[in-house]
Amino acid sequence: MFHSDFPLVSIIIGTYNGELYLSAQLDSIFQQTYPNIEVIAIDDCSTDNTISILHKYAAQHKNLQIIQNTTNIGYIKNFEK
């Protein structure tokens, strides 16, 4: 939800086969009390359930955007992207 009284804070998450810890990470982010955040998850071609988890959270949190790489570019390039 957008709150014009607070500057937008963008949180970027680089993911790759992170299903074991991703839910805990997202829960922590979405439990924060700051009201004006956007979360951008950039997935580097995960082969586990990472994408499914991201889509589950995106259905509940409209401020979560998911970007999926078409090829694996490695963690450095993924964060640079």
Side-chain angles (χ1 to χ4, degrees):
M1 179 178 287
F2 177 74
H3 294 273
S4 61
D5 294 340
F6 297 89
L8 178 65
V9 172
S10 299
I11 301 168
I12 311 300
I13 303 170
T15 60
Y16 176 73
N17 291 343
E19 71 178 331
L20 293 178
Y21 305 102
L22 184 57
S23 291
Q25 183 180 25
L26 291 170
D27 287 342
S28 176
I29 290 169
F30 288 116
Q31 290 171 2
Q32 299 300 309
T33 59
Y34 190 81
N36 195 17
I37 65 168
E38 68 176 349
V39 180
I40 303 169
I42 306 173
D43 185 72
D44 199 21
C45 299
S46 291
T47 56
D48 63 359
N49 290 316
T50 295
I51 292 298
S52 296
I53 294 167
L54 288 171
H55 283 289
K56 176 184 142 193
Y57 277 82
Q60 299 170 7
H61 302 278
K62 300 304 178 199
N63 56 339
L64 171 59
Q65 176 186 357
I66 303 167
I67 299 170
Q68 291 180 260
N69 294 339
T70 56
T71 59
N72 182 282
I73 59 176
Y75 72 92
I76 293 172
K77 293 284 185 198
N78 197 43
F79 277 105
E80 288 175 346
K81 184 177 180 178

